[in-house]
Amino acid sequence: MSEVMAILHKMTTPLWRALWIPAIVAIAVIYVFLPFESFLRQPFWDLGVYRANFGSGYHERVLNALNGQLDVVASLTQEHAWLAIVVALRDWTGSFENAFTVVSMCACLVFLAVTIRSCGWLLALVMLFHPLMTNLLMSQIRSALAMALIYVAWRWRDLLVMGPSPTDNGGQTMHEEQNNSQHAWLSWIWALRGALAIMACFIHTAMVVMLLLLAGSYLVSHLARKSQPQALVAMVGVISLGVLILSPARFLLLNTLGDRRAEYNVDVTSTIDLVIWGTFALFFLVRATRYLTRPESVYAVICLSVFIATSLVGTQSSRVFALTIPLFMGLFRDFNGVEYRGLLCWFFATTALYLKYWYPVA
């Protein structure tokens, strides 16, 4: 029987691979045209800001201020790449609204592919309609696009596969990655991946922090292969650094660079949010030995912990966690038995609460 199943798998795999990209493209297209704002208590706030800014000609004033000169710091803090991308898409599609839709669609494609790779189709489709993900992909589109570029640079093989794999390291085993790196002809791919990561920072400066936390997750995973106590200490250190950057040091740094967001006010995280995600964070930190050698899992827990810790000190950074939700869902695979079922039950129960609040029945 197993031999028959193996033969059928070999016969159907090419077909499924051929349908993989059309399937996620179709889902992304349908997704971005769903009337989410009609079901919400209020319109998407961040998307409204983008509409107002570009409608007032803000992009022209900022880009014209360069006078054709290259200013790396100004381009980074004022995110000129984001402005240029939206203007180019406006010229191509005919309107800023269409440009925003294209951005959402591209981000949705990448996030969906990475989530499917991490946890499979069922959980990926459920998570796609989670309010945190919906708000990210349909409203916080600049962050979503920037993180999508990082995912493409980091986990580009996720766009070419159909489901989760136990050799999950961007779609390849560590041994294969080391062998591939020995081929000189792959050097241009690494250059392209680096360029995408840099571009992400010029779309949204918060990606500098996301890349720093990502580097920290690889350090933790490297240490875990030698000493798990050292890895745990390093993990706490990375979380503390993230909290420091995103809370007290954030305003000092933004003021120094002249970033306009130094004076932004943020909403305080609700108690129910802290209970929901704090429960996940506490469980994953207590059971950290189950996933310490997997950098993507470590990365998800670090970002979740940073979100919880910054919320406790009065700084809202839920977006840091939302950007790593595809990897967070993959964390469930590191557990089995009662723990796995408990995680799923807590996830579905809390998702139902979110859906009830965000999409009230009229």
Side-chain angles (χ1 to χ4, degrees):
M1 185 64 180
S2 60
E3 294 179 355
V4 174
M5 294 300 296
I7 294 174
L8 290 175
H9 176 73
K10 290 181 179 179
M11 293 174 60
T12 57
T13 294
L15 176 62
W16 277 110
R17 288 193 180 278
L19 296 176
W20 162 252
I21 293 180
I24 61 173
V25 169
I27 293 173
V29 170
I30 295 172
Y31 183 80
V32 298
F33 284 106
L34 291 175
F36 285 107
E37 288 184 297
S38 299
F39 304 118
L40 294 174
R41 294 178 183 270
Q42 57 186 4
F44 288 125
W45 188 87
D46 292 88
L47 184 59
V49 172
Y50 296 139
R51 287 167 174 161
N53 285 344
F54 283 97
S56 67
Y58 166 79
H59 59 288
E60 296 178 352
R61 296 192 297 272
V62 173
L63 294 176
N64 290 337
L66 289 176
N67 292 323
Q69 298 179 353
L70 178 62
D71 188 333
V72 176
V73 175
S75 295
L76 180 65
T77 57
Q78 298 182 23
E79 291 135 343
H80 290 160
W82 163 247
L83 301 179
I85 288 172
V86 174
V87 171
L89 289 175
R90 186 274 314 270
D91 295 339
W92 178 51
T93 61
S95 70
F96 283 121
E97 199 65 33
N98 291 337
F100 297 149
T101 301
V102 172
V103 171
S104 291
M105 191 180 305
C106 292
C108 182
L109 280 171
V110 176
F111 273 75
L112 179 59
V114 176
T115 310
I116 291 172
R117 175 62 169 172
S118 296
C119 61
W121 279 90
L122 177 59
L123 287 179
L125 292 177
V126 172
M127 197 67 228
L128 196 60
F129 289 91
H130 192 286
L132 283 181
M133 184 69 83
T134 301
N135 194 46
L136 177 68
L137 296 178
M138 299 299 295
S139 181
Q140 301 166 345
I141 56 177
R142 182 163 56 95
S143 301
L145 177 62
M147 193 65 192
L149 291 182
I150 290 179
Y151 278 136
V152 172
W154 174 30
R155 302 175 62 84
W156 59 277
R157 288 176 179 261
D158 289 354
L159 305 177
L160 307 175
V161 297
M162 297 174 293
S165 168
T167 59
D168 188 62
N169 186 31
Q172 58 188 344
T173 63
M174 186 64 68
H175 179 67
E176 291 171 337
E177 188 173 47
Q178 291 172 348
N179 288 340
N180 287 339
S181 64
Q182 297 174 0
H183 296 285
W185 65 272
L186 281 177
S187 59
W188 67 271
I189 294 181
W190 286 97
L192 177 60
R193 295 168 75 179
L196 289 174
I198 293 173
M199 182 181 292
C201 298
F202 284 87
I203 292 176
H204 201 306
T205 52
M207 295 305 109
V208 176
V209 179
M210 298 302 294
L211 289 172
L212 181 62
L213 297 179
L214 177 58
S217 70
Y218 270 87
L219 173 63
V220 171
S221 294
H222 175 73
L223 292 174
R225 295 183 176 90
K226 300 178 181 179
S227 171
Q228 289 197 344
Q230 289 183 9
L232 289 171
V233 172
M235 187 173 178
V236 172
V238 174
I239 294 171
S240 301
L241 178 62
V243 174
L244 178 64
I245 293 175
L246 292 172
S247 46
R250 171 176 176 260
F251 302 102
L252 177 62
L253 179 61
L254 292 179
N255 272 317
T256 302
L257 295 176
D259 195 298
R260 66 192 185 281
R261 289 159 300 179
E263 299 179 355
Y264 279 12
N265 293 321
V266 294
D267 297 328
V268 177
T269 304
S270 68
T271 302
I272 188 64
D273 286 326
L274 289 176
V275 171
I276 290 173
W277 301 114
T279 302
F280 276 119
L282 181 61
F283 174 80
F284 288 134
L285 288 173
V286 170
R287 301 288 289 158
T289 55
R290 298 295 298 271
Y291 58 82
L292 278 178
T293 57
R294 283 167 44 90
E296 60 277 5
S297 295
V298 174
Y299 187 44
V301 174
I302 286 176
C303 291
L304 173 60
S305 302
V306 167
F307 158 49
I308 297 298
T310 52
S311 297
L312 292 175
V313 297
T315 303
Q316 221 274 16
S317 59
S318 61
R319 197 173 309 186
V320 173
F321 166 60
L323 292 169
T324 57
I325 280 179
L327 306 178
F328 168 80
M329 298 305 299
L331 264 168
F332 293 10
R333 293 171 49 212
D334 294 319
F335 301 88
N336 49 45
V338 175
E339 291 178 328
Y340 177 73
R341 291 191 292 272
L343 288 171
L344 284 181
C345 289
W346 184 247
F347 167 72
F348 282 115
T350 56
T351 298
L353 289 177
Y354 268 103
L355 293 174
K356 179 175 174 30
Y357 175 78
W358 276 67
Y359 306 114
V361 178

